[in-house]
Amino acid sequence: MIYLPQADWQWSIDPQDNSVSVLMGDDSVELVYQARMFISLPQKILSFSLEDVAHYTLLKEQFCAEQYTADQSCSIILHILAVTLFHKPIMPKSWQYQTCAIEALDIRSRECVYLTSDQEKVTAKYFVIDVDDKFALCLLVDTQHILTSRKTLRQGQIVKVSLDKITLIDDGDAG
């Protein structure tokens, strides 16, 4: 599989199957999002634009990918890009996570952080896509995150949480 965008890369959004994928020549990556989670698009197939390629390249440089295979890293970056370009806004779900920050944190977008589920006390790694004064939009980069006995997030899913739910990763933990 080629991990840098090529001229034949396309977004494929199928409202009938409620699925989203990236077509990459002979390969494809299925995204965890349902078509209904995305803004309405004028067509089902969209070619990667120059801006998409530039954004993908920038994310590849910024993503904390040391512990991931090239396939996993590519999939995570495509999920981040899809959220950035097409995902509808979501409401915060801070109650699902433990409060951990005592003081204000300097959280930047484009960094990896930890979130710990409140009920199950399981910690997972997330990538901060966007952050403001109160909330951060985070994408799960670990394989899964068990929130409750009935709810588990899959790699690539997003959550919006208040900043007091985030634990920064020490430089020694970044790998």
Side-chain angles (χ1 to χ4, degrees):
M1 181 184 288
I2 298 172
Y3 300 107
L4 290 175
Q6 305 295 308
D8 61 351
W9 280 30
Q10 299 173 316
W11 298 103
S12 174
I13 295 129
D14 189 346
Q16 307 263 326
D17 289 342
N18 203 21
S19 65
V20 180
S21 59
V22 177
L23 307 176
M24 308 159 71
D26 294 335
D27 295 310
S28 68
V29 173
E30 292 292 320
L31 303 182
V32 297
Y33 310 113
Q34 297 173 338
R36 65 179 171 76
M37 297 172 167
F38 281 14
I39 58 174
S40 296
L41 297 170
Q43 9 182 180
K44 292 181 183 180
I45 302 286
L46 296 171
S47 294
F48 262 58
S49 68
L50 289 176
E51 291 83 16
D52 295 349
V53 173
H55 199 170
Y56 179 97
T57 305
L58 180 62
L59 284 168
K60 188 167 177 54
E61 292 170 7
Q62 294 173 333
F63 176 62
C64 45
E66 299 82 23
Q67 71 185 46
Y68 303 98
T69 67
D71 280 350
Q72 291 170 325
S73 184
C74 178
S75 175
I76 292 167
I77 291 167
L78 289 171
H79 278 83
I80 295 167
L81 188 57
V83 167
T84 304
L85 294 173
F86 307 118
H87 208 287
K88 292 177 183 175
I90 62 172
M91 296 299 293
K93 297 201 174 168
S94 297
W95 69 87
Q96 296 177 331
Y97 300 90
Q98 280 187 344
T99 301
C100 46
I102 297 171
E103 57 189 61
L105 297 175
D106 181 21
I107 299 169
R108 300 177 317 273
S109 59
R110 311 292 187 235
E111 74 176 316
C112 286
V113 297
Y114 291 127
L115 293 173
T116 302
S117 58
D118 192 43
Q119 260 188 23
E120 298 295 321
K121 312 298 187 229
V122 176
T123 299
K125 186 184 283 186
Y126 286 77
F127 184 79
V128 178
I129 295 175
D130 191 29
V131 65
D132 62 27
D133 291 342
K134 295 181 182 180
F135 299 100
L137 179 64
C138 304
L139 179 134
L140 179 62
V141 295
D142 282 346
T143 306
Q144 68 176 13
H145 192 186
I146 300 169
L147 301 179
T148 69
S149 59
R150 292 186 174 169
K151 177 142 176 100
T152 300
L153 293 182
R154 294 182 1 216
Q155 185 178 59
Q157 288 187 288
I158 57 174
V159 65
K160 189 173 191 176
V161 296
S162 58
L163 299 182
D164 65 344
K165 306 298 180 179
I166 293 175
T167 301
L168 295 178
I169 296 176
D170 289 338
D171 290 335
D173 292 343

mmCIF file of all heavy atoms in Angstrom, residues 35-68:
data_model
loop_
_atom_site.group_PDB
_atom_site.id
_atom_site.type_symbol
_atom_site.label_atom_id
_atom_site.label_comp_id
_atom_site.label_asym_id
_atom_site.label_seq_id
_atom_site.Cartn_x
_atom_site.Cartn_y
_atom_site.Cartn_z
ATOM 1 N N ALA A 35 -22.024 7.594 7.198
ATOM 2 C CA ALA A 35 -22.258 8.707 6.275
ATOM 3 C C ALA A 35 -23.141 9.783 6.912
ATOM 4 O O ALA A 35 -22.955 10.970 6.677
ATOM 5 C CB ALA A 35 -22.876 8.200 4.976
ATOM 6 N N ARG A 36 -24.071 9.383 7.763
ATOM 7 C CA ARG A 36 -24.973 10.351 8.393
ATOM 8 C C ARG A 36 -24.248 11.279 9.364
ATOM 9 O O ARG A 36 -24.769 12.315 9.755
ATOM 10 C CB ARG A 36 -26.134 9.640 9.095
ATOM 11 C CG ARG A 36 -25.723 8.784 10.258
ATOM 12 C CD ARG A 36 -26.934 8.126 10.938
ATOM 13 N NE ARG A 36 -26.531 7.146 11.908
ATOM 14 C CZ ARG A 36 -26.050 7.435 13.116
ATOM 15 N NH1 ARG A 36 -25.931 8.674 13.485
ATOM 16 N NH2 ARG A 36 -25.696 6.478 13.946
ATOM 17 N N MET A 37 -23.021 10.924 9.768
ATOM 18 C CA MET A 37 -22.238 11.758 10.680
ATOM 19 C C MET A 37 -21.531 12.898 9.947
ATOM 20 O O MET A 37 -20.965 13.783 10.580
ATOM 21 C CB MET A 37 -21.177 10.914 11.397
ATOM 22 C CG MET A 37 -21.725 9.837 12.269
ATOM 23 S SD MET A 37 -20.380 8.789 12.835
ATOM 24 C CE MET A 37 -21.174 7.864 14.116
ATOM 25 N N PHE A 38 -21.554 12.857 8.622
ATOM 26 C CA PHE A 38 -20.847 13.846 7.818
ATOM 27 C C PHE A 38 -21.801 14.900 7.279
ATOM 28 O O PHE A 38 -22.992 14.642 7.112
ATOM 29 C CB PHE A 38 -20.141 13.163 6.645
ATOM 30 C CG PHE A 38 -18.849 12.482 7.025
ATOM 31 C CD1 PHE A 38 -18.511 12.237 8.337
ATOM 32 C CD2 PHE A 38 -17.969 12.093 6.043
ATOM 33 C CE1 PHE A 38 -17.320 11.615 8.672
ATOM 34 C CE2 PHE A 38 -16.771 11.473 6.365
ATOM 35 C CZ PHE A 38 -16.454 11.233 7.681
ATOM 36 N N ILE A 39 -21.246 16.055 6.977
ATOM 37 C CA ILE A 39 -22.036 17.095 6.334
ATOM 38 C C ILE A 39 -22.520 16.569 4.988
ATOM 39 O O ILE A 39 -21.915 15.656 4.420
ATOM 40 C CB ILE A 39 -21.214 18.391 6.152
ATOM 41 C CG1 ILE A 39 -19.952 18.112 5.322
ATOM 42 C CG2 ILE A 39 -20.877 19.016 7.487
ATOM 43 C CD1 ILE A 39 -19.159 19.353 4.959
ATOM 44 N N SER A 40 -23.592 17.117 4.486
ATOM 45 C CA SER A 40 -24.093 16.696 3.182
ATOM 46 C C SER A 40 -23.106 17.123 2.102
ATOM 47 O O SER A 40 -22.688 18.279 2.055
ATOM 48 C CB SER A 40 -25.455 17.325 2.903
ATOM 49 O OG SER A 40 -26.385 16.865 3.836
ATOM 50 N N LEU A 41 -22.743 16.185 1.286
ATOM 51 C CA LEU A 41 -21.798 16.464 0.207
ATOM 52 C C LEU A 41 -22.518 16.352 -1.133
ATOM 53 O O LEU A 41 -23.420 15.525 -1.284
ATOM 54 C CB LEU A 41 -20.622 15.492 0.272
ATOM 55 C CG LEU A 41 -19.790 15.607 1.557
ATOM 56 C CD1 LEU A 41 -18.813 14.456 1.667
ATOM 57 C CD2 LEU A 41 -19.058 16.927 1.594
ATOM 58 N N PRO A 42 -22.108 17.139 -2.112
ATOM 59 C CA PRO A 42 -22.809 17.146 -3.389
ATOM 60 C C PRO A 42 -22.633 15.865 -4.198
ATOM 61 O O PRO A 42 -23.433 15.574 -5.069
ATOM 62 C CB PRO A 42 -22.192 18.340 -4.127
ATOM 63 C CG PRO A 42 -20.871 18.542 -3.486
ATOM 64 C CD PRO A 42 -21.007 18.091 -2.068
ATOM 65 N N GLN A 43 -21.586 15.084 -3.913
ATOM 66 C CA GLN A 43 -21.350 13.863 -4.664
ATOM 67 C C GLN A 43 -20.894 12.755 -3.717
ATOM 68 O O GLN A 43 -20.436 13.018 -2.621
ATOM 69 C CB GLN A 43 -20.295 14.065 -5.758
ATOM 70 C CG GLN A 43 -19.615 15.347 -5.685
ATOM 71 C CD GLN A 43 -18.587 15.639 -6.749
ATOM 72 O OE1 GLN A 43 -18.066 16.680 -6.663
ATOM 73 N NE2 GLN A 43 -18.273 14.808 -7.696
ATOM 74 N N LYS A 44 -21.026 11.530 -4.180
ATOM 75 C CA LYS A 44 -20.633 10.385 -3.362
ATOM 76 C C LYS A 44 -19.130 10.134 -3.420
ATOM 77 O O LYS A 44 -18.568 9.560 -2.494
ATOM 78 C CB LYS A 44 -21.373 9.132 -3.827
ATOM 79 C CG LYS A 44 -22.850 9.169 -3.551
ATOM 80 C CD LYS A 44 -23.492 7.893 -4.015
ATOM 81 C CE LYS A 44 -24.988 7.941 -3.800
ATOM 82 N NZ LYS A 44 -25.629 6.724 -4.245
ATOM 83 N N ILE A 45 -18.500 10.508 -4.496
ATOM 84 C CA ILE A 45 -17.061 10.310 -4.663
ATOM 85 C C ILE A 45 -16.410 11.676 -4.856
ATOM 86 O O ILE A 45 -16.809 12.442 -5.728
ATOM 87 C CB ILE A 45 -16.742 9.419 -5.896
ATOM 88 C CG1 ILE A 45 -17.431 8.057 -5.791
ATOM 89 C CG2 ILE A 45 -15.249 9.286 -6.096
ATOM 90 C CD1 ILE A 45 -16.825 7.110 -4.801
ATOM 91 N N LEU A 46 -15.420 11.972 -4.011
ATOM 92 C CA LEU A 46 -14.677 13.222 -4.122
ATOM 93 C C LEU A 46 -13.197 12.905 -4.224
ATOM 94 O O LEU A 46 -12.664 12.153 -3.398
ATOM 95 C CB LEU A 46 -14.889 14.101 -2.885
ATOM 96 C CG LEU A 46 -16.278 14.628 -2.610
ATOM 97 C CD1 LEU A 46 -16.328 15.271 -1.236
ATOM 98 C CD2 LEU A 46 -16.661 15.640 -3.670
ATOM 99 N N SER A 47 -12.541 13.457 -5.215
ATOM 100 C CA SER A 47 -11.100 13.268 -5.337
ATOM 101 C C SER A 47 -10.388 14.064 -4.263
ATOM 102 O O SER A 47 -10.870 15.107 -3.823
ATOM 103 C CB SER A 47 -10.613 13.735 -6.712
ATOM 104 O OG SER A 47 -11.150 12.906 -7.708
ATOM 105 N N PHE A 48 -9.237 13.559 -3.830
ATOM 106 C CA PHE A 48 -8.406 14.317 -2.901
ATOM 107 C C PHE A 48 -7.986 15.609 -3.584
ATOM 108 O O PHE A 48 -7.538 15.597 -4.722
ATOM 109 C CB PHE A 48 -7.157 13.511 -2.538
ATOM 110 C CG PHE A 48 -7.266 12.772 -1.239
ATOM 111 C CD1 PHE A 48 -8.274 11.847 -1.029
ATOM 112 C CD2 PHE A 48 -6.351 12.999 -0.239
ATOM 113 C CE1 PHE A 48 -8.370 11.156 0.161
ATOM 114 C CE2 PHE A 48 -6.440 12.318 0.968
ATOM 115 C CZ PHE A 48 -7.449 11.404 1.166
ATOM 116 N N SER A 49 -8.130 16.724 -2.880
ATOM 117 C CA SER A 49 -7.706 18.012 -3.412
ATOM 118 C C SER A 49 -6.251 18.259 -3.016
ATOM 119 O O SER A 49 -5.681 17.527 -2.195
ATOM 120 C CB SER A 49 -8.589 19.131 -2.846
ATOM 121 O OG SER A 49 -8.345 19.267 -1.462
ATOM 122 N N LEU A 50 -5.665 19.296 -3.566
ATOM 123 C CA LEU A 50 -4.301 19.674 -3.170
ATOM 124 C C LEU A 50 -4.261 20.009 -1.684
ATOM 125 O O LEU A 50 -3.287 19.711 -0.998
ATOM 126 C CB LEU A 50 -3.804 20.854 -4.001
ATOM 127 C CG LEU A 50 -3.487 20.541 -5.468
ATOM 128 C CD1 LEU A 50 -3.108 21.807 -6.210
ATOM 129 C CD2 LEU A 50 -2.389 19.493 -5.571
ATOM 130 N N GLU A 51 -5.334 20.630 -1.178
ATOM 131 C CA GLU A 51 -5.407 20.957 0.246
ATOM 132 C C GLU A 51 -5.453 19.689 1.094
ATOM 133 O O GLU A 51 -4.835 19.614 2.155
ATOM 134 C CB GLU A 51 -6.627 21.835 0.552
ATOM 135 C CG GLU A 51 -6.536 23.239 -0.015
ATOM 136 C CD GLU A 51 -6.948 23.326 -1.489
ATOM 137 O OE1 GLU A 51 -7.587 22.379 -2.023
ATOM 138 O OE2 GLU A 51 -6.619 24.342 -2.117
ATOM 139 N N ASP A 52 -6.179 18.665 0.629
ATOM 140 C CA ASP A 52 -6.242 17.383 1.343
ATOM 141 C C ASP A 52 -4.845 16.763 1.429
ATOM 142 O O ASP A 52 -4.431 16.269 2.483
ATOM 143 C CB ASP A 52 -7.184 16.399 0.650
ATOM 144 C CG ASP A 52 -8.634 16.837 0.664
ATOM 145 O OD1 ASP A 52 -8.979 17.797 1.384
ATOM 146 O OD2 ASP A 52 -9.424 16.217 -0.077
ATOM 147 N N VAL A 53 -4.124 16.793 0.319
ATOM 148 C CA VAL A 53 -2.775 16.224 0.279
ATOM 149 C C VAL A 53 -1.850 16.987 1.228
ATOM 150 O O VAL A 53 -1.101 16.389 2.004
ATOM 151 C CB VAL A 53 -2.213 16.235 -1.159
ATOM 152 C CG1 VAL A 53 -0.750 15.812 -1.180
ATOM 153 C CG2 VAL A 53 -3.054 15.336 -2.063
ATOM 154 N N ALA A 54 -1.924 18.318 1.207
ATOM 155 C CA ALA A 54 -1.079 19.137 2.082
ATOM 156 C C ALA A 54 -1.413 18.872 3.547
ATOM 157 O O ALA A 54 -0.516 18.731 4.390
ATOM 158 C CB ALA A 54 -1.258 20.610 1.744
ATOM 159 N N HIS A 55 -2.706 18.778 3.860
ATOM 160 C CA HIS A 55 -3.139 18.525 5.235
ATOM 161 C C HIS A 55 -2.691 17.137 5.686
ATOM 162 O O HIS A 55 -2.227 16.950 6.814
ATOM 163 C CB HIS A 55 -4.648 18.680 5.319
ATOM 164 C CG HIS A 55 -5.156 18.880 6.709
ATOM 165 N ND1 HIS A 55 -6.444 19.231 6.967
ATOM 166 C CD2 HIS A 55 -4.571 18.781 7.928
ATOM 167 C CE1 HIS A 55 -6.626 19.312 8.268
ATOM 168 N NE2 HIS A 55 -5.506 19.049 8.866
ATOM 169 N N TYR A 56 -2.812 16.132 4.821
ATOM 170 C CA TYR A 56 -2.377 14.766 5.132
ATOM 171 C C TYR A 56 -0.878 14.769 5.447
ATOM 172 O O TYR A 56 -0.433 14.176 6.439
ATOM 173 C CB TYR A 56 -2.679 13.834 3.955
ATOM 174 C CG TYR A 56 -2.247 12.406 4.193
ATOM 175 C CD1 TYR A 56 -3.159 11.466 4.649
ATOM 176 C CD2 TYR A 56 -0.930 11.991 3.968
ATOM 177 C CE1 TYR A 56 -2.769 10.153 4.878
ATOM 178 C CE2 TYR A 56 -0.540 10.689 4.206
ATOM 179 C CZ TYR A 56 -1.457 9.775 4.658
ATOM 180 O OH TYR A 56 -1.078 8.477 4.894
ATOM 181 N N THR A 57 -0.099 15.434 4.612
ATOM 182 C CA THR A 57 1.354 15.484 4.790
ATOM 183 C C THR A 57 1.715 16.151 6.115
ATOM 184 O O THR A 57 2.576 15.666 6.854
ATOM 185 C CB THR A 57 2.015 16.218 3.612
ATOM 186 O OG1 THR A 57 1.609 15.565 2.394
ATOM 187 C CG2 THR A 57 3.515 16.208 3.710
ATOM 188 N N LEU A 58 1.040 17.248 6.442
ATOM 189 C CA LEU A 58 1.282 17.941 7.706
ATOM 190 C C LEU A 58 0.917 17.043 8.893
ATOM 191 O O LEU A 58 1.670 16.941 9.869
ATOM 192 C CB LEU A 58 0.480 19.242 7.755
ATOM 193 C CG LEU A 58 0.630 20.090 9.006
ATOM 194 C CD1 LEU A 58 2.074 20.554 9.177
ATOM 195 C CD2 LEU A 58 -0.303 21.293 8.945
ATOM 196 N N LEU A 59 -0.222 16.372 8.818
ATOM 197 C CA LEU A 59 -0.630 15.466 9.889
ATOM 198 C C LEU A 59 0.373 14.324 10.047
ATOM 199 O O LEU A 59 0.674 13.911 11.171
ATOM 200 C CB LEU A 59 -2.022 14.896 9.616
ATOM 201 C CG LEU A 59 -3.184 15.834 9.868
ATOM 202 C CD1 LEU A 59 -4.468 15.268 9.278
ATOM 203 C CD2 LEU A 59 -3.344 16.096 11.358
ATOM 204 N N LYS A 60 0.884 13.822 8.959
ATOM 205 C CA LYS A 60 1.871 12.733 9.008
ATOM 206 C C LYS A 60 3.106 13.170 9.790
ATOM 207 O O LYS A 60 3.676 12.396 10.554
ATOM 208 C CB LYS A 60 2.242 12.288 7.599
ATOM 209 C CG LYS A 60 3.105 11.050 7.545
ATOM 210 C CD LYS A 60 3.147 10.514 6.136
ATOM 211 C CE LYS A 60 4.052 9.330 5.987
ATOM 212 N NZ LYS A 60 3.802 8.242 6.878
ATOM 213 N N GLU A 61 3.497 14.428 9.632
ATOM 214 C CA GLU A 61 4.650 14.960 10.362
ATOM 215 C C GLU A 61 4.321 15.188 11.837
ATOM 216 O O GLU A 61 5.182 15.043 12.696
ATOM 217 C CB GLU A 61 5.108 16.278 9.743
ATOM 218 C CG GLU A 61 5.696 16.138 8.363
ATOM 219 C CD GLU A 61 5.934 17.473 7.670
ATOM 220 O OE1 GLU A 61 5.764 18.527 8.322
ATOM 221 O OE2 GLU A 61 6.274 17.454 6.481
ATOM 222 N N GLN A 62 3.083 15.537 12.148
ATOM 223 C CA GLN A 62 2.703 15.907 13.511
ATOM 224 C C GLN A 62 2.197 14.741 14.352
ATOM 225 O O GLN A 62 2.240 14.797 15.579
ATOM 226 C CB GLN A 62 1.611 16.984 13.468
ATOM 227 C CG GLN A 62 2.083 18.273 12.886
ATOM 228 C CD GLN A 62 0.948 19.261 12.705
ATOM 229 O OE1 GLN A 62 -0.205 18.878 12.540
ATOM 230 N NE2 GLN A 62 1.275 20.541 12.724
ATOM 231 N N PHE A 63 1.719 13.693 13.729
ATOM 232 C CA PHE A 63 1.107 12.589 14.450
ATOM 233 C C PHE A 63 2.158 11.783 15.206
ATOM 234 O O PHE A 63 3.222 11.473 14.689
ATOM 235 C CB PHE A 63 0.327 11.686 13.477
ATOM 236 C CG PHE A 63 -0.255 10.471 14.126
ATOM 237 C CD1 PHE A 63 -1.198 10.600 15.128
ATOM 238 C CD2 PHE A 63 0.145 9.211 13.751
ATOM 239 C CE1 PHE A 63 -1.739 9.486 15.736
ATOM 240 C CE2 PHE A 63 -0.397 8.089 14.348
ATOM 241 C CZ PHE A 63 -1.337 8.228 15.344
ATOM 242 N N CYS A 64 1.826 11.406 16.441
ATOM 243 C CA CYS A 64 2.716 10.616 17.303
ATOM 244 C C CYS A 64 2.649 9.146 16.877
ATOM 245 O O CYS A 64 1.996 8.328 17.506
ATOM 246 C CB CYS A 64 2.300 10.798 18.762
ATOM 247 S SG CYS A 64 0.505 10.688 19.043
ATOM 248 N N ALA A 65 3.334 8.809 15.781
ATOM 249 C CA ALA A 65 3.142 7.520 15.119
ATOM 250 C C ALA A 65 4.201 6.472 15.421
ATOM 251 O O ALA A 65 4.197 5.416 14.813
ATOM 252 C CB ALA A 65 3.091 7.752 13.602
ATOM 253 N N GLU A 66 5.103 6.745 16.343
ATOM 254 C CA GLU A 66 6.226 5.842 16.564
ATOM 255 C C GLU A 66 5.820 4.397 16.843
ATOM 256 O O GLU A 66 6.487 3.473 16.406
ATOM 257 C CB GLU A 66 7.109 6.341 17.716
ATOM 258 C CG GLU A 66 7.725 7.701 17.508
ATOM 259 C CD GLU A 66 6.775 8.851 17.846
ATOM 260 O OE1 GLU A 66 5.826 8.652 18.624
ATOM 261 O OE2 GLU A 66 6.984 9.947 17.309
ATOM 262 N N GLN A 67 4.741 4.176 17.573
ATOM 263 C CA GLN A 67 4.363 2.812 17.964
ATOM 264 C C GLN A 67 3.375 2.157 17.004
ATOM 265 O O GLN A 67 2.889 1.079 17.279
ATOM 266 C CB GLN A 67 3.807 2.809 19.378
ATOM 267 C CG GLN A 67 2.437 3.456 19.501
ATOM 268 C CD GLN A 67 1.979 3.541 20.940
ATOM 269 O OE1 GLN A 67 2.724 3.923 21.816
ATOM 270 N NE2 GLN A 67 0.731 3.176 21.172
ATOM 271 N N TYR A 68 3.101 2.783 15.877
ATOM 272 C CA TYR A 68 2.106 2.260 14.950
ATOM 273 C C TYR A 68 2.764 1.809 13.651
ATOM 274 O O TYR A 68 3.747 2.393 13.198
ATOM 275 C CB TYR A 68 1.033 3.320 14.663
ATOM 276 C CG TYR A 68 0.366 3.805 15.929
ATOM 277 C CD1 TYR A 68 0.760 4.990 16.536
ATOM 278 C CD2 TYR A 68 -0.624 3.049 16.541
ATOM 279 C CE1 TYR A 68 0.177 5.417 17.721
ATOM 280 C CE2 TYR A 68 -1.209 3.470 17.723
ATOM 281 C CZ TYR A 68 -0.808 4.649 18.309
ATOM 282 O OH TYR A 68 -1.376 5.060 19.483
#
